[in-house]
PDB file of all heavy atoms in Angstrom:
ATOM      1  N   SER M  45      15.644  -4.180   1.441  1.00  0.00           N
ATOM      2  CA  SER M  45      14.565  -3.335   1.967  1.00  0.00           C
ATOM      3  C   SER M  45      15.037  -1.901   2.174  1.00  0.00           C
ATOM      4  O   SER M  45      14.334  -0.944   1.815  1.00  0.00           O
ATOM      5  CB  SER M  45      14.046  -3.904   3.291  1.00  0.00           C
ATOM      6  OG  SER M  45      13.480  -5.182   3.101  1.00  0.00           O
ATOM      7  N   ALA M  46      16.240  -1.745   2.732  1.00  0.00           N
ATOM      8  CA  ALA M  46      16.787  -0.404   2.954  1.00  0.00           C
ATOM      9  C   ALA M  46      17.053   0.298   1.631  1.00  0.00           C
ATOM     10  O   ALA M  46      16.736   1.484   1.461  1.00  0.00           O
ATOM     11  CB  ALA M  46      18.063  -0.504   3.778  1.00  0.00           C
ATOM     12  N   ARG M  47      17.620  -0.433   0.688  1.00  0.00           N
ATOM     13  CA  ARG M  47      17.922   0.162  -0.621  1.00  0.00           C
ATOM     14  C   ARG M  47      16.654   0.607  -1.340  1.00  0.00           C
ATOM     15  O   ARG M  47      16.576   1.727  -1.871  1.00  0.00           O
ATOM     16  CB  ARG M  47      18.676  -0.867  -1.475  1.00  0.00           C
ATOM     17  CG  ARG M  47      19.152  -0.340  -2.827  1.00  0.00           C
ATOM     18  CD  ARG M  47      19.665  -1.472  -3.693  1.00  0.00           C
ATOM     19  NE  ARG M  47      18.568  -2.303  -4.180  1.00  0.00           N
ATOM     20  CZ  ARG M  47      18.746  -3.427  -4.894  1.00  0.00           C
ATOM     21  NH1 ARG M  47      19.977  -3.849  -5.155  1.00  0.00           N
ATOM     22  NH2 ARG M  47      17.709  -4.112  -5.320  1.00  0.00           N
ATOM     23  N   GLU M  48      15.639  -0.276  -1.339  1.00  0.00           N
ATOM     24  CA  GLU M  48      14.420   0.034  -2.070  1.00  0.00           C
ATOM     25  C   GLU M  48      13.580   1.112  -1.384  1.00  0.00           C
ATOM     26  O   GLU M  48      12.818   1.810  -2.050  1.00  0.00           O
ATOM     27  CB  GLU M  48      13.581  -1.235  -2.254  1.00  0.00           C
ATOM     28  CG  GLU M  48      14.241  -2.295  -3.121  1.00  0.00           C
ATOM     29  CD  GLU M  48      14.548  -1.791  -4.521  1.00  0.00           C
ATOM     30  OE1 GLU M  48      13.718  -1.063  -5.098  1.00  0.00           O
ATOM     31  OE2 GLU M  48      15.643  -2.124  -5.032  1.00  0.00           O
ATOM     32  N   TYR M  49      13.742   1.277  -0.086  1.00  0.00           N
ATOM     33  CA  TYR M  49      12.985   2.312   0.626  1.00  0.00           C
ATOM     34  C   TYR M  49      13.271   3.687   0.026  1.00  0.00           C
ATOM     35  O   TYR M  49      12.358   4.504  -0.160  1.00  0.00           O
ATOM     36  CB  TYR M  49      13.332   2.306   2.112  1.00  0.00           C
ATOM     37  CG  TYR M  49      12.686   3.445   2.867  1.00  0.00           C
ATOM     38  CD1 TYR M  49      11.371   3.357   3.298  1.00  0.00           C
ATOM     39  CD2 TYR M  49      13.384   4.631   3.112  1.00  0.00           C
ATOM     40  CE1 TYR M  49      10.758   4.413   3.962  1.00  0.00           C
ATOM     41  CE2 TYR M  49      12.786   5.694   3.777  1.00  0.00           C
ATOM     42  CZ  TYR M  49      11.468   5.578   4.200  1.00  0.00           C
ATOM     43  OH  TYR M  49      10.875   6.624   4.840  1.00  0.00           O
ATOM     44  N   PHE M  50      14.518   3.935  -0.302  1.00  0.00           N
ATOM     45  CA  PHE M  50      14.899   5.262  -0.815  1.00  0.00           C
ATOM     46  C   PHE M  50      14.541   5.431  -2.291  1.00  0.00           C
ATOM     47  O   PHE M  50      14.613   6.542  -2.822  1.00  0.00           O
ATOM     48  CB  PHE M  50      16.397   5.489  -0.596  1.00  0.00           C
ATOM     49  CG  PHE M  50      16.753   5.621   0.854  1.00  0.00           C
ATOM     50  CD1 PHE M  50      17.344   4.560   1.535  1.00  0.00           C
ATOM     51  CD2 PHE M  50      16.477   6.772   1.561  1.00  0.00           C
ATOM     52  CE1 PHE M  50      17.666   4.665   2.875  1.00  0.00           C
ATOM     53  CE2 PHE M  50      16.794   6.895   2.907  1.00  0.00           C
ATOM     54  CZ  PHE M  50      17.392   5.833   3.560  1.00  0.00           C
ATOM     55  N   ARG M  51      14.147   4.373  -2.946  1.00  0.00           N
ATOM     56  CA  ARG M  51      13.743   4.445  -4.350  1.00  0.00           C
ATOM     57  C   ARG M  51      12.228   4.431  -4.517  1.00  0.00           C
ATOM     58  O   ARG M  51      11.721   4.727  -5.602  1.00  0.00           O
ATOM     59  CB  ARG M  51      14.324   3.256  -5.127  1.00  0.00           C
ATOM     60  CG  ARG M  51      15.839   3.164  -5.115  1.00  0.00           C
ATOM     61  CD  ARG M  51      16.285   1.886  -5.829  1.00  0.00           C
ATOM     62  NE  ARG M  51      17.742   1.773  -5.911  1.00  0.00           N
ATOM     63  CZ  ARG M  51      18.390   0.749  -6.453  1.00  0.00           C
ATOM     64  NH1 ARG M  51      17.700  -0.256  -6.958  1.00  0.00           N
ATOM     65  NH2 ARG M  51      19.711   0.720  -6.483  1.00  0.00           N
ATOM     66  N   PHE M  52      11.532   4.062  -3.464  1.00  0.00           N
ATOM     67  CA  PHE M  52      10.106   3.756  -3.575  1.00  0.00           C
ATOM     68  C   PHE M  52       9.242   5.001  -3.417  1.00  0.00           C
ATOM     69  O   PHE M  52       9.502   5.846  -2.568  1.00  0.00           O
ATOM     70  CB  PHE M  52       9.719   2.719  -2.512  1.00  0.00           C
ATOM     71  CG  PHE M  52       8.289   2.272  -2.605  1.00  0.00           C
ATOM     72  CD1 PHE M  52       7.894   1.387  -3.593  1.00  0.00           C
ATOM     73  CD2 PHE M  52       7.338   2.730  -1.703  1.00  0.00           C
ATOM     74  CE1 PHE M  52       6.573   0.966  -3.681  1.00  0.00           C
ATOM     75  CE2 PHE M  52       6.022   2.322  -1.776  1.00  0.00           C
ATOM     76  CZ  PHE M  52       5.638   1.429  -2.778  1.00  0.00           C
ATOM     77  N   GLN M  53       8.196   5.082  -4.232  1.00  0.00           N
ATOM     78  CA  GLN M  53       7.204   6.154  -4.141  1.00  0.00           C
ATOM     79  C   GLN M  53       5.848   5.546  -3.791  1.00  0.00           C
ATOM     80  O   GLN M  53       5.376   4.629  -4.485  1.00  0.00           O
ATOM     81  CB  GLN M  53       7.088   6.887  -5.487  1.00  0.00           C
ATOM     82  CG  GLN M  53       8.352   7.609  -5.906  1.00  0.00           C
ATOM     83  CD  GLN M  53       8.429   9.016  -5.338  1.00  0.00           C
ATOM     84  OE1 GLN M  53       7.415   9.613  -5.033  1.00  0.00           O
ATOM     85  NE2 GLN M  53       9.629   9.532  -5.202  1.00  0.00           N
ATOM     86  N   ALA M  54       5.227   6.027  -2.722  1.00  0.00           N
ATOM     87  CA  ALA M  54       3.888   5.551  -2.370  1.00  0.00           C
ATOM     88  C   ALA M  54       2.910   5.888  -3.487  1.00  0.00           C
ATOM     89  O   ALA M  54       3.057   6.897  -4.191  1.00  0.00           O
ATOM     90  CB  ALA M  54       3.435   6.185  -1.064  1.00  0.00           C
ATOM     91  N   LYS M  55       1.895   5.039  -3.659  1.00  0.00           N
ATOM     92  CA  LYS M  55       0.931   5.210  -4.740  1.00  0.00           C
ATOM     93  C   LYS M  55      -0.489   5.319  -4.181  1.00  0.00           C
ATOM     94  O   LYS M  55      -0.743   5.047  -3.011  1.00  0.00           O
ATOM     95  CB  LYS M  55       1.031   4.041  -5.713  1.00  0.00           C
ATOM     96  CG  LYS M  55       2.376   3.986  -6.437  1.00  0.00           C
ATOM     97  CD  LYS M  55       2.423   2.826  -7.411  1.00  0.00           C
ATOM     98  CE  LYS M  55       3.774   2.779  -8.116  1.00  0.00           C
ATOM     99  NZ  LYS M  55       3.861   1.625  -9.035  1.00  0.00           N
ATOM    100  N   SER M  56      -1.398   5.706  -5.065  1.00  0.00           N
ATOM    101  CA  SER M  56      -2.805   5.840  -4.686  1.00  0.00           C
ATOM    102  C   SER M  56      -3.565   4.558  -5.014  1.00  0.00           C
ATOM    103  O   SER M  56      -3.306   3.919  -6.036  1.00  0.00           O
ATOM    104  CB  SER M  56      -3.442   7.021  -5.418  1.00  0.00           C
ATOM    105  OG  SER M  56      -2.832   8.231  -5.027  1.00  0.00           O
ATOM    106  N   TYR M  57      -4.507   4.222  -4.140  1.00  0.00           N
ATOM    107  CA  TYR M  57      -5.287   3.005  -4.301  1.00  0.00           C
ATOM    108  C   TYR M  57      -6.762   3.293  -4.020  1.00  0.00           C
ATOM    109  O   TYR M  57      -7.089   4.107  -3.159  1.00  0.00           O
ATOM    110  CB  TYR M  57      -4.814   1.919  -3.326  1.00  0.00           C
ATOM    111  CG  TYR M  57      -3.385   1.508  -3.526  1.00  0.00           C
ATOM    112  CD1 TYR M  57      -2.350   2.147  -2.839  1.00  0.00           C
ATOM    113  CD2 TYR M  57      -3.057   0.481  -4.404  1.00  0.00           C
ATOM    114  CE1 TYR M  57      -1.032   1.771  -3.026  1.00  0.00           C
ATOM    115  CE2 TYR M  57      -1.738   0.088  -4.585  1.00  0.00           C
ATOM    116  CZ  TYR M  57      -0.731   0.737  -3.898  1.00  0.00           C
ATOM    117  OH  TYR M  57       0.577   0.374  -4.084  1.00  0.00           O
ATOM    118  N   SER M  58      -7.623   2.575  -4.730  1.00  0.00           N
ATOM    119  CA  SER M  58      -9.052   2.559  -4.426  1.00  0.00           C
ATOM    120  C   SER M  58      -9.396   1.139  -3.986  1.00  0.00           C
ATOM    121  O   SER M  58      -9.210   0.179  -4.745  1.00  0.00           O
ATOM    122  CB  SER M  58      -9.874   2.956  -5.652  1.00  0.00           C
ATOM    123  OG  SER M  58     -11.257   2.895  -5.354  1.00  0.00           O
ATOM    124  N   ILE M  59      -9.895   1.010  -2.759  1.00  0.00           N
ATOM    125  CA  ILE M  59     -10.084  -0.296  -2.131  1.00  0.00           C
ATOM    126  C   ILE M  59     -11.553  -0.469  -1.765  1.00  0.00           C
ATOM    127  O   ILE M  59     -12.147   0.405  -1.135  1.00  0.00           O
ATOM    128  CB  ILE M  59      -9.220  -0.411  -0.854  1.00  0.00           C
ATOM    129  CG1 ILE M  59      -7.754  -0.143  -1.173  1.00  0.00           C
ATOM    130  CG2 ILE M  59      -9.397  -1.772  -0.196  1.00  0.00           C
ATOM    131  CD1 ILE M  59      -6.939   0.286   0.033  1.00  0.00           C
ATOM    132  N   GLU M  60     -12.125  -1.599  -2.161  1.00  0.00           N
ATOM    133  CA  GLU M  60     -13.504  -1.921  -1.804  1.00  0.00           C
ATOM    134  C   GLU M  60     -13.503  -3.145  -0.902  1.00  0.00           C
ATOM    135  O   GLU M  60     -12.996  -4.205  -1.273  1.00  0.00           O
ATOM    136  CB  GLU M  60     -14.325  -2.204  -3.061  1.00  0.00           C
ATOM    137  CG  GLU M  60     -14.446  -1.012  -4.002  1.00  0.00           C
ATOM    138  CD  GLU M  60     -15.157  -1.360  -5.288  1.00  0.00           C
ATOM    139  OE1 GLU M  60     -16.079  -2.213  -5.241  1.00  0.00           O
ATOM    140  OE2 GLU M  60     -14.789  -0.812  -6.336  1.00  0.00           O
ATOM    141  N   LEU M  61     -14.082  -2.989   0.296  1.00  0.00           N
ATOM    142  CA  LEU M  61     -14.223  -4.110   1.229  1.00  0.00           C
ATOM    143  C   LEU M  61     -15.292  -3.779   2.260  1.00  0.00           C
ATOM    144  O   LEU M  61     -15.497  -2.614   2.604  1.00  0.00           O
ATOM    145  CB  LEU M  61     -12.889  -4.438   1.917  1.00  0.00           C
ATOM    146  CG  LEU M  61     -12.142  -3.346   2.680  1.00  0.00           C
ATOM    147  CD1 LEU M  61     -12.679  -3.143   4.090  1.00  0.00           C
ATOM    148  CD2 LEU M  61     -10.660  -3.715   2.788  1.00  0.00           C
ATOM    149  N   ASN M  62     -15.991  -4.798   2.713  1.00  0.00           N
ATOM    150  CA  ASN M  62     -17.004  -4.628   3.777  1.00  0.00           C
ATOM    151  C   ASN M  62     -17.959  -3.460   3.506  1.00  0.00           C
ATOM    152  O   ASN M  62     -18.283  -2.675   4.401  1.00  0.00           O
ATOM    153  CB  ASN M  62     -16.327  -4.413   5.136  1.00  0.00           C
ATOM    154  CG  ASN M  62     -15.493  -5.599   5.572  1.00  0.00           C
ATOM    155  OD1 ASN M  62     -15.619  -6.685   5.024  1.00  0.00           O
ATOM    156  ND2 ASN M  62     -14.622  -5.395   6.546  1.00  0.00           N
ATOM    157  N   ASP M  63     -18.406  -3.319   2.243  1.00  0.00           N
ATOM    158  CA  ASP M  63     -19.323  -2.235   1.841  1.00  0.00           C
ATOM    159  C   ASP M  63     -18.696  -0.850   1.999  1.00  0.00           C
ATOM    160  O   ASP M  63     -19.404   0.167   2.029  1.00  0.00           O
ATOM    161  CB  ASP M  63     -20.636  -2.292   2.629  1.00  0.00           C
ATOM    162  CG  ASP M  63     -21.416  -3.567   2.350  1.00  0.00           C
ATOM    163  OD1 ASP M  63     -21.404  -4.018   1.188  1.00  0.00           O
ATOM    164  OD2 ASP M  63     -22.035  -4.102   3.291  1.00  0.00           O
ATOM    165  N   LEU M  64     -17.374  -0.794   2.113  1.00  0.00           N
ATOM    166  CA  LEU M  64     -16.647   0.471   2.179  1.00  0.00           C
ATOM    167  C   LEU M  64     -15.849   0.677   0.895  1.00  0.00           C
ATOM    168  O   LEU M  64     -15.384  -0.284   0.271  1.00  0.00           O
ATOM    169  CB  LEU M  64     -15.660   0.468   3.358  1.00  0.00           C
ATOM    170  CG  LEU M  64     -16.208   0.315   4.776  1.00  0.00           C
ATOM    171  CD1 LEU M  64     -15.048   0.165   5.748  1.00  0.00           C
ATOM    172  CD2 LEU M  64     -17.054   1.530   5.146  1.00  0.00           C
ATOM    173  N   THR M  65     -15.669   1.932   0.534  1.00  0.00           N
ATOM    174  CA  THR M  65     -14.708   2.288  -0.508  1.00  0.00           C
ATOM    175  C   THR M  65     -13.679   3.209   0.131  1.00  0.00           C
ATOM    176  O   THR M  65     -14.024   4.269   0.656  1.00  0.00           O
ATOM    177  CB  THR M  65     -15.374   2.982  -1.701  1.00  0.00           C
ATOM    178  OG1 THR M  65     -16.313   2.079  -2.306  1.00  0.00           O
ATOM    179  CG2 THR M  65     -14.333   3.381  -2.736  1.00  0.00           C
ATOM    180  N   ILE M  66     -12.440   2.787   0.103  1.00  0.00           N
ATOM    181  CA  ILE M  66     -11.354   3.535   0.735  1.00  0.00           C
ATOM    182  C   ILE M  66     -10.409   4.020  -0.355  1.00  0.00           C
ATOM    183  O   ILE M  66      -9.846   3.217  -1.100  1.00  0.00           O
ATOM    184  CB  ILE M  66     -10.573   2.646   1.735  1.00  0.00           C
ATOM    185  CG1 ILE M  66     -11.515   2.091   2.800  1.00  0.00           C
ATOM    186  CG2 ILE M  66      -9.427   3.420   2.367  1.00  0.00           C
ATOM    187  CD1 ILE M  66     -10.907   0.978   3.631  1.00  0.00           C
ATOM    188  N   LYS M  67     -10.268   5.321  -0.457  1.00  0.00           N
ATOM    189  CA  LYS M  67      -9.295   5.893  -1.397  1.00  0.00           C
ATOM    190  C   LYS M  67      -8.151   6.449  -0.571  1.00  0.00           C
ATOM    191  O   LYS M  67      -8.357   7.317   0.287  1.00  0.00           O
ATOM    192  CB  LYS M  67      -9.948   6.970  -2.248  1.00  0.00           C
ATOM    193  CG  LYS M  67     -11.052   6.430  -3.166  1.00  0.00           C
ATOM    194  CD  LYS M  67     -11.606   7.503  -4.072  1.00  0.00           C
ATOM    195  CE  LYS M  67     -12.726   6.991  -4.951  1.00  0.00           C
ATOM    196  NZ  LYS M  67     -12.290   5.965  -5.911  1.00  0.00           N
ATOM    197  N   THR M  68      -6.945   5.962  -0.844  1.00  0.00           N
ATOM    198  CA  THR M  68      -5.827   6.324   0.021  1.00  0.00           C
ATOM    199  C   THR M  68      -4.497   6.187  -0.710  1.00  0.00           C
ATOM    200  O   THR M  68      -4.390   5.452  -1.703  1.00  0.00           O
ATOM    201  CB  THR M  68      -5.804   5.413   1.270  1.00  0.00           C
ATOM    202  OG1 THR M  68      -4.821   5.858   2.190  1.00  0.00           O
ATOM    203  CG2 THR M  68      -5.521   3.961   0.900  1.00  0.00           C
ATOM    204  N   ARG M  69      -3.504   6.913  -0.205  1.00  0.00           N
ATOM    205  CA  ARG M  69      -2.126   6.647  -0.597  1.00  0.00           C
ATOM    206  C   ARG M  69      -1.559   5.683   0.431  1.00  0.00           C
ATOM    207  O   ARG M  69      -1.809   5.807   1.628  1.00  0.00           O
ATOM    208  CB  ARG M  69      -1.292   7.943  -0.637  1.00  0.00           C
ATOM    209  CG  ARG M  69      -1.590   8.799  -1.849  1.00  0.00           C
ATOM    210  CD  ARG M  69      -0.772  10.075  -1.858  1.00  0.00           C
ATOM    211  NE  ARG M  69       0.664   9.838  -1.891  1.00  0.00           N
ATOM    212  CZ  ARG M  69       1.354   9.504  -2.988  1.00  0.00           C
ATOM    213  NH1 ARG M  69       0.725   9.343  -4.145  1.00  0.00           N
ATOM    214  NH2 ARG M  69       2.655   9.335  -2.932  1.00  0.00           N
ATOM    215  N   ALA M  70      -0.786   4.713  -0.046  1.00  0.00           N
ATOM    216  CA  ALA M  70      -0.294   3.685   0.867  1.00  0.00           C
ATOM    217  C   ALA M  70       1.138   3.306   0.533  1.00  0.00           C
ATOM    218  O   ALA M  70       1.565   3.332  -0.630  1.00  0.00           O
ATOM    219  CB  ALA M  70      -1.187   2.458   0.816  1.00  0.00           C
ATOM    220  N   PHE M  71       1.858   2.951   1.563  1.00  0.00           N
ATOM    221  CA  PHE M  71       3.211   2.409   1.451  1.00  0.00           C
ATOM    222  C   PHE M  71       3.145   0.936   1.043  1.00  0.00           C
ATOM    223  O   PHE M  71       3.901   0.475   0.191  1.00  0.00           O
ATOM    224  CB  PHE M  71       3.922   2.576   2.789  1.00  0.00           C
ATOM    225  CG  PHE M  71       5.346   2.111   2.810  1.00  0.00           C
ATOM    226  CD1 PHE M  71       6.314   2.772   2.078  1.00  0.00           C
ATOM    227  CD2 PHE M  71       5.715   1.027   3.595  1.00  0.00           C
ATOM    228  CE1 PHE M  71       7.641   2.356   2.107  1.00  0.00           C
ATOM    229  CE2 PHE M  71       7.033   0.601   3.632  1.00  0.00           C
ATOM    230  CZ  PHE M  71       7.999   1.265   2.893  1.00  0.00           C
ATOM    231  N   LEU M  72       2.213   0.225   1.659  1.00  0.00           N
ATOM    232  CA  LEU M  72       1.963  -1.153   1.246  1.00  0.00           C
ATOM    233  C   LEU M  72       0.556  -1.574   1.651  1.00  0.00           C
ATOM    234  O   LEU M  72      -0.038  -1.015   2.571  1.00  0.00           O
ATOM    235  CB  LEU M  72       3.002  -2.127   1.802  1.00  0.00           C
ATOM    236  CG  LEU M  72       3.120  -2.380   3.312  1.00  0.00           C
ATOM    237  CD1 LEU M  72       2.076  -3.368   3.819  1.00  0.00           C
ATOM    238  CD2 LEU M  72       4.501  -2.932   3.635  1.00  0.00           C
ATOM    239  N   LEU M  73       0.046  -2.541   0.912  1.00  0.00           N
ATOM    240  CA  LEU M  73      -1.229  -3.179   1.204  1.00  0.00           C
ATOM    241  C   LEU M  73      -0.979  -4.675   1.276  1.00  0.00           C
ATOM    242  O   LEU M  73      -0.383  -5.245   0.361  1.00  0.00           O
ATOM    243  CB  LEU M  73      -2.255  -2.904   0.095  1.00  0.00           C
ATOM    244  CG  LEU M  73      -2.538  -1.452  -0.295  1.00  0.00           C
ATOM    245  CD1 LEU M  73      -3.487  -1.428  -1.489  1.00  0.00           C
ATOM    246  CD2 LEU M  73      -3.144  -0.691   0.874  1.00  0.00           C
ATOM    247  N   THR M  74      -1.437  -5.308   2.345  1.00  0.00           N
ATOM    248  CA  THR M  74      -1.207  -6.739   2.501  1.00  0.00           C
ATOM    249  C   THR M  74      -2.476  -7.439   2.955  1.00  0.00           C
ATOM    250  O   THR M  74      -3.098  -7.027   3.936  1.00  0.00           O
ATOM    251  CB  THR M  74      -0.089  -7.030   3.525  1.00  0.00           C
ATOM    252  OG1 THR M  74       1.128  -6.445   3.072  1.00  0.00           O
ATOM    253  CG2 THR M  74       0.114  -8.528   3.703  1.00  0.00           C
ATOM    254  N   ALA M  75      -2.843  -8.504   2.241  1.00  0.00           N
ATOM    255  CA  ALA M  75      -3.896  -9.402   2.690  1.00  0.00           C
ATOM    256  C   ALA M  75      -3.215 -10.544   3.430  1.00  0.00           C
ATOM    257  O   ALA M  75      -2.428 -11.291   2.845  1.00  0.00           O
ATOM    258  CB  ALA M  75      -4.695  -9.931   1.508  1.00  0.00           C
ATOM    259  N   ALA M  76      -3.500 -10.659   4.717  1.00  0.00           N
ATOM    260  CA  ALA M  76      -2.817 -11.625   5.570  1.00  0.00           C
ATOM    261  C   ALA M  76      -3.773 -12.729   6.015  1.00  0.00           C
ATOM    262  O   ALA M  76      -4.760 -12.467   6.697  1.00  0.00           O
ATOM    263  CB  ALA M  76      -2.218 -10.930   6.788  1.00  0.00           C
ATOM    264  N   ASN M  77      -3.458 -13.950   5.613  1.00  0.00           N
ATOM    265  CA  ASN M  77      -4.194 -15.115   6.095  1.00  0.00           C
ATOM    266  C   ASN M  77      -3.557 -15.640   7.377  1.00  0.00           C
ATOM    267  O   ASN M  77      -4.238 -16.119   8.268  1.00  0.00           O
ATOM    268  CB  ASN M  77      -4.189 -16.205   5.014  1.00  0.00           C
ATOM    269  CG  ASN M  77      -5.079 -17.377   5.343  1.00  0.00           C
ATOM    270  OD1 ASN M  77      -6.154 -17.211   5.922  1.00  0.00           O
ATOM    271  ND2 ASN M  77      -4.650 -18.580   4.990  1.00  0.00           N
ATOM    272  N   SER M  78      -2.225 -15.525   7.463  1.00  0.00           N
ATOM    273  CA  SER M  78      -1.510 -15.785   8.710  1.00  0.00           C
ATOM    274  C   SER M  78      -0.808 -14.496   9.130  1.00  0.00           C
ATOM    275  O   SER M  78      -0.993 -13.455   8.503  1.00  0.00           O
ATOM    276  CB  SER M  78      -0.526 -16.942   8.565  1.00  0.00           C
ATOM    277  OG  SER M  78       0.545 -16.603   7.715  1.00  0.00           O
ATOM    278  N   SER M  79       0.018 -14.551  10.139  1.00  0.00           N
ATOM    279  CA  SER M  79       0.416 -13.316  10.807  1.00  0.00           C
ATOM    280  C   SER M  79       1.687 -12.645  10.299  1.00  0.00           C
ATOM    281  O   SER M  79       1.902 -11.467  10.563  1.00  0.00           O
ATOM    282  CB  SER M  79       0.583 -13.580  12.312  1.00  0.00           C
ATOM    283  OG  SER M  79       1.525 -14.626  12.523  1.00  0.00           O
TER     284      SER M  79
END
């Protein structure tokens, strides 16, 4: 995780949910069924 942090570039995403469209740059996106 530490090694990849310094190599990683955040990217742009277009997200559709709950009648919303969210355009954002993100470090990570996670769909969580548990915690």
Side-chain angles (χ1 to χ4, degrees):
S45 297
R47 185 190 72 185
E48 295 301 320
Y49 174 82
F50 292 103
R51 300 176 177 178
F52 184 76
Q53 296 273 335
K55 295 181 180 178
S56 296
Y57 299 91
S58 178
I59 304 158
E60 297 175 34
L61 56 82
N62 297 345
D63 296 323
L64 299 173
T65 298
I66 302 167
K67 295 184 182 295
T68 187
R69 285 179 61 78
F71 182 67
L72 65 81
L73 306 175
T74 299
N77 188 37
S78 68
S79 57

